[in-house]
Amino acid sequence: MIIPDSDPNLPQPFYICGPTASGKSSFALEMAEKLDGEIVNADAFQLYQGLEIISAAPSPAERALVPHHLYGVLDPTESADAQLYVKLATPVIAEIQSRGKTPVITGGSGLYLKFLTHGAAPLPTGNAALRAEMDSKSIEELVAQLQQLDPVEASRTALQNRRFVSRALEICILSGQKASDIRDGWEKQTADISSRLRGIVIQRTREDLHARIALRTKAMLDGGALEEVAAMSAISSNCEKAIGFREIRSLLTGEIDRATCEDLINAATRQYAKRQETWFRREKWLVPEVV
RNA sequence: GGCCCGAUAGCUCAGUCGGUAGAGCAGUGGAUUGAAAAUUCACGUGUCGGCGGUUCAAAUCCGUCUCGGGCCA
């Protein structure tokens, strides 16, 4: 994690957040020039190589203007997660600072940013074998088990959300402690960090954002997204979740037509943007940048 | 011109024997600490195409008009 003001002589990072298609990338270029900075990616899917078009990563022309970091650094067969992201980003950011430049951290992946700014709670890493075992159980079984091991955590977890229930259970099993205890401790330790961070969240009207999404989807489909998806043979299940990936696959196999594909991508993107807005609305330290 | 089918939420449609309507999708709000572009929760008033009639009561039955679609001329 990036500790703010750890060394007052170093330039402090500046964060640029906002929903997809809000114009973060071009805003980042402006800020990088103003702050004498370099851009660091904070987007879960722009991390991957070969997904540049459907993840709307900055173009080569944009990257030539200012140094860009952590774009296309992972093979699509790999599966990133928030912890890996922090591992990758921390040294890159420190290196930029050591050269006297300002890290301009730009992206829309709320959880990744949260881990970067507030750190990762000392929770055990996910275990594939255990997850497979839990996946074979019913949600009722998982809930019952969690209620037994950690009733406090169970009472504050959305018990219909399988993902959340199994993660809480996983933490208890792997750590041998109560997930609620670890989380509470972490919350106390990191309570004051937000006030020392600086960054903005780009805000647009829904109408404007939806129009921008529609334009971008069209441009993607016309600008090589089909070829990009067709070229992806080996891919992690993680990458398959990229918005547009499945839709374009269906278009390529002829299951749906172009107009349907475009509509589906637009709807999925709008829904994602809404979830991002909900997330960033809670991050009170982000100053709204109304565009 | 004649006949038939359709018209109900932004969209696609359901609606039984008449008792003033409900699904999916879209949309809106929320949750969120190692899968997060993921996962998940909540939210359903709309001239039932218009007008008239029958009836205690019409989305539902009857008449008529309008607009689609089809068939026959």
Side-chain angles (χ1 to χ4, degrees):
Chain A
M1 93 182 254
I2 302 303
I3 299 170
D5 312 317
S6 53
D7 180 346
N9 297 315
L10 293 180
Q12 291 306 298
F14 187 84
Y15 295 88
I16 298 176
C17 308
T20 188
S22 60
K24 294 185 291 297
S25 298
S26 52
F27 194 86
L29 286 173
E30 276 178 49
M31 285 309 291
E33 272 179 48
K34 258 185 224 166
L35 300 171
D36 188 24
E38 300 190 4
I39 295 170
V40 180
N41 173 37
D43 183 291
F45 284 78
Q46 292 176 7
L47 243 29
Y48 292 104
Q49 195 179 68
L51 289 178
E52 285 82 3
I53 297 171
I54 64 169
S55 70
S59 66
E62 288 173 309
R63 292 194 210 184
L65 297 171
V66 170
H68 280 62
H69 304 269
L70 293 183
Y71 291 91
V73 293
L74 291 181
D75 189 89
T77 55
E78 294 180 84
S79 279
D81 57 48
Q83 186 183 39
L84 174 66
Y85 171 70
V86 174
K87 261 185 209 159
L88 293 172
T90 305
V92 167
I93 291 165
E95 194 272 331
I96 294 168
Q97 288 177 301
S98 74
R99 286 187 280 107
K101 303 284 187 181
T102 301
V104 177
I105 300 162
T106 307
S109 295
L111 184 68
Y112 284 22
L113 280 156
K114 186 77 175 180
F115 268 59
L116 191 61
T117 55
H118 291 72
L123 299 168
T125 302
N127 176 296
L130 181 57
R131 281 184 184 177
E133 190 196 322
M134 289 191 297
D135 284 347
S136 69
K137 290 187 179 173
S138 73
I139 180 94
E140 290 78 14
E141 287 177 278
L142 298 175
V143 167
Q145 205 179 344
L146 179 63
Q147 278 167 338
Q148 195 181 10
L149 287 176
D150 188 350
V152 174
E153 187 69 8
S155 73
R156 43 161 104 133
T157 299
L159 298 177
Q160 314 89 329
N161 192 329
R162 187 182 185 99
R163 187 76 72 90
F164 287 5
V165 172
S166 22
R167 175 61 186 155
L169 195 54
E170 176 181 75
I171 292 167
C172 296
I173 293 170
L174 294 177
S175 71
Q177 302 173 65
K178 287 185 178 177
S180 54
D181 289 344
I182 311 178
R183 281 185 172 152
D184 287 348
W186 186 250
E187 202 119 311
K188 272 181 205 155
Q189 281 180 52
T190 57
D192 69 318
I193 287 179
S194 293
S195 62
R196 291 183 286 145
L197 298 168
R198 58 171 188 160
I200 57 110
V201 54
I202 299 180
Q203 292 183 351
R204 290 179 181 274
T205 63
R206 276 291 157 80
E207 196 186 20
D208 183 23
L209 193 62
H210 287 185
R212 290 174 62 94
I213 287 170
L215 281 175
R216 195 182 68 181
T217 302
K218 198 180 279 295
M220 274 180 192
L221 291 174
D222 290 337
L226 275 62
E227 292 76 5
E228 183 174 272
V229 170
M232 307 287 295
S233 44
I235 189 169
S236 68
S237 62
N238 205 34
C239 279
E240 284 182 0
K241 293 182 310 202
I243 291 173
F245 187 83
R246 286 169 195 277
E247 293 86 348
I248 291 172
R249 275 256 164 111
S250 298
L251 174 61
L252 291 171
T253 60
E255 279 168 70
I256 58 174
D257 62 17
R258 152 83 192 226
T260 305
C261 177
E262 204 169 315
D263 287 348
L264 290 173
I265 293 175
N266 280 333
T269 308
R270 276 186 246 122
Q271 290 165 345
Y272 172 48
K274 193 164 77 68
R275 274 178 267 132
Q276 288 176 299
E277 288 185 330
T278 302
W279 183 290
F280 292 126
R281 219 172 272 152
R282 297 201 313 167
E283 298 292 332
K284 304 293 186 201
W285 59 276
L286 288 168
V287 178
E289 175 77 23
V290 180
V291 182

